[in-house]
């Protein structure tokens, strides 16, 4: 089949809307939606083709060939790619449809559709890449699209600030990514996945220990450094500790983008990167340990912050950060299939939750504070029931997709060794916290007495079908994706890294995880339905812990004091003392010297003949004097 059309259709949509948007205007969806829907259908065909055992690699275009350097655009369609194609195109198609109702009447309607079409194209090319350079180019492209879409409402200072923050934080991670890319080339002499993987396997035992010249005994081979540098890019893109601070602020963008980019696709690129490069990471236990520990820390940190947030979208944003930690932890422990399995199911139910938040926000005239909601389940029945299904899946409730994929991670972690068991224990605790904040969100938003502003309360109603239909489809997928057999489908790619599940351990972990989830739901019901005044009293009693969670463990403030302010102060000093005083002073001084010299020269240009005659006479005297003396 023609795999090229899968990314090219969204690209064509972007070009048409980008060049003709001012004329197409509010009909932009007629161009964008059909393109991405057809791309989704082609992705389904690609998935079926791969399921039959076909693995395709295509070279589309050669950029540059010089000696052993071969830069090209190519496509690789294997089992991992097929799963990612389904995720990206399915969520993108539903978000495109949802956007029709959510953004209708907005001034930048066509521009918004052109941006999400460009993002879809970039993300598809990222997952289809067959070489490191193409991966990096479209890695940066999705970052650019994220910047443009977060700042879509550029007239809002908060949106511009959030877009800039996301862009800068990701550049920190991507700088390490670029260094890793250069080290791949200098070490292996190639940027093609297949070549690099083969050479890494052949030379794994003889890789240079970079600490050897320093007398170090710890294994820090070039391969480990490559894996760690590439992982820094994944830390930024997938909002892992310590580069997680951009993701919650990205909620300043329109809600469809929160669902498309910051829940289901772009933020999963880091997880995809580690899984795609599994042949490298499997050869570096040190790098794998770092990946697993960072994922575990992110998993717990995100959950603890989500407990107290009051902005409906930020609760879901920190939940996304926590769930990405689960996926990264799984990959770091070698359970790549489990990580990608959770990536797929999470894409469905987290997109559902974000779009459900958007439905509530639209119904309440762009109110996002949960404290001004309540009593909405009867007024927004479709939104409520679909949101409830998404929350059950997030909480890992039995028979939902989240139940199967999260338990797959926890079981894989538990049987992987001591580190895995410690991280699995953290994962079980996080499961309790996840269920609690998920249903805190449900109960505060939809249950109890209405706290909606009385001017808006009478006008609260279910949004249009372009909003509710995607919610229903995603609700179905939040259950159905758990039954697609994704781990078995992916297993041939990652057989070397996956662990063998012991049945008794698997049953035990699943039972404990289920109990943790149920305890979290019961706890949220007790606090926010039966005793709604109790949370405020507890917050006052444990004020320090509450403030730590509410203020996101003060990570932003720490960065502001240790990095942002010193950098700003240093830049200001350099500007004043070097740029203004030295550079501008030198340039302006030269200008003033030339002007002064010109003024002096102007004095001898009087236009009077007697002055010129006097000058000539003086010149003759000077010349004669010099001749006679010397």
């Amino acid at each position: 089949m023609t795999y090229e059309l899968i990314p090219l259709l969204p690209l064509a949509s972007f070009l048409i809307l980008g060049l003709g948007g001012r004329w197409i205007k509010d009909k932009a969806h007629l161009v964008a939606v059909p393109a991405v829907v057809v791309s989704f259908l082609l992705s389904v065909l690609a998935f079926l083709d791969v399921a039959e055992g076909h693995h395709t690699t295509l070279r589309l275009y050669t950029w540059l060939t010089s000696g052993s350097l071969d830069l090209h655009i190519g496509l690789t369609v294997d089992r991992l790619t097929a799963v990612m194609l389904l995720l990206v195109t399915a969520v993108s198609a539903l978000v495109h449809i949802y956007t029709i109702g959510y953004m209708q009447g907005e001034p930048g309607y066509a521009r918004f559709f052109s941006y999400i079409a460009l993002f879809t194209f970039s993300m598809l090319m990222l997952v289809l890449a067959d070489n490191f350079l193409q991966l990096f180019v479209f890695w940066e492209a999705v970052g650019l699209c994220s910047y443009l879409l977060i700042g879509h409402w550029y007239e809002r200072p908060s949106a511009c600030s959030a877009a800039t923050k996301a862009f800068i934080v990701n550049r920190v991670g991507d700088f390490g990514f670029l260094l890793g890319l250069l080290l791949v080339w200098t070490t292996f002499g190639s940027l093609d996945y297949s070549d690099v993987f083969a050479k890494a396997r052949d030379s794994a035992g003889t890789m240079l220990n970079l600490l050897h010249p320093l007398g170090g005994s710890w294994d820090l081979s070039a391969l480990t450094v490559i894996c760690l540098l590439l992982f820094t890019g994944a830390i930024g893109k997938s909002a892992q500790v310590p580069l997680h601070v951009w993701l919650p602020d990205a909620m300043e963008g329109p809600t469809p983008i929160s669902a498309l980019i910051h829940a289901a696709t772009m933020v999963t690129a880091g997880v995809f990167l580690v899984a795609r490069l599994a042949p490298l990471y499997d050869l570096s236990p040190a790098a794998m340990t770092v990946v697993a520990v960072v994922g575990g820390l992110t998993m717990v940190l995100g959950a603890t912050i989500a407990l107290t947030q009051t902005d409906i979208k930020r609760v879901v944003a920190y939940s996304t950060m926590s769930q990405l930690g689960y996926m990264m932890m799984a990959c770091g422990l070698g359970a790549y299939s489990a990580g990608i399995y959770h990536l797929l199911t999470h894409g469905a139910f987290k997109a559902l939750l974000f779009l459900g938040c958007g439905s509530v926000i639209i119904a309440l005239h762009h109110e996002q504070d949960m404290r001004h909601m309540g009593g909405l389940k009867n007024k927004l029945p479709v939104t409520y029931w679909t949101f409830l299904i998404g929350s059950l899946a997030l909480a890992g409730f039995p028979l939902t997709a989240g139940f199967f994929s999260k338990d797959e991670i926890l079981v894989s972690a538990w049987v992987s060794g001591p580190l895995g068991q410690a991280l699995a224990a953290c994962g079980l605790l996080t499961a309790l916290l996840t269920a609690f904040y998920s249903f805190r969100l449900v109960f505060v938003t939809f249950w109890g007495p209405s706290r909606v502003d009385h001017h808006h309360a009478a006008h609260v109603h279910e949004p249009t079908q372009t909003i509710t239909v995607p919610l229903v489809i995603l609700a179905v997928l939040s259950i159905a994706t758990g039954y697609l057999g994704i781990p078995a489908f992916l297993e041939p790619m990652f057989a070397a890294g996956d662990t063998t599940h012991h049945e008794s351990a698997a049953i035990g972990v699943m039972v404990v995880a289920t109990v943790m989830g149920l305890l979290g739901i019961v706890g949220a019901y007790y606090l926010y339905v039966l005793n709604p005044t109790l949370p405020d009293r507890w917050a006052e009693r444990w004020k320090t812990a509450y403030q730590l969670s509410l203020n996101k463990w003060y990570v932003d403030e720490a960065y502001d004091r240790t990095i942002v302010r010193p950098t700003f102060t240093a830049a200001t000093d350099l500007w004043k003392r070097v740029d203004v005083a030295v550079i501008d002073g030198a340039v302006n001084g030269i200008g003033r010297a030339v002007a002064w010299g010109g003024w002096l020269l102007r004095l001898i240009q009087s236009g009077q003949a007697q002055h010129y005659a006097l000058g000539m006479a003086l010149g003759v005297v000077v010349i004669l004097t010099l001749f006679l003396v010397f």
Side-chain angles (χ1 to χ4, degrees), residues 257-289:
I257 292 315
S258 300
L260 177 62
I261 293 183
H262 307 122
T265 52
M266 188 193 84
V267 293
T268 63
V271 180
F272 167 79
L273 172 70
V274 177
R276 170 58 74 198
L277 303 183
L280 297 183
Y281 281 91
D282 285 337
L283 298 173
S284 176
M288 292 280 280
T289 299

Side-chain angles (χ1 to χ4, degrees), residues 472-525:
V472 173
I473 295 174
L474 285 169
V476 173
L477 292 176
S478 297
I479 297 175
T481 50
Y483 300 88
L484 297 180
I486 297 300
F489 178 78
L490 291 171
E491 187 177 356
M493 289 197 64
F494 306 119
D498 278 339
T499 55
T500 301
H501 292 176
H502 302 288
E503 186 174 350
S504 58
I507 294 174
V509 172
M510 292 174 68
V511 169
V512 175
T514 302
V515 171
M516 287 293 193
L518 294 175
L519 285 176
I521 295 173
V522 171
Y525 182 79

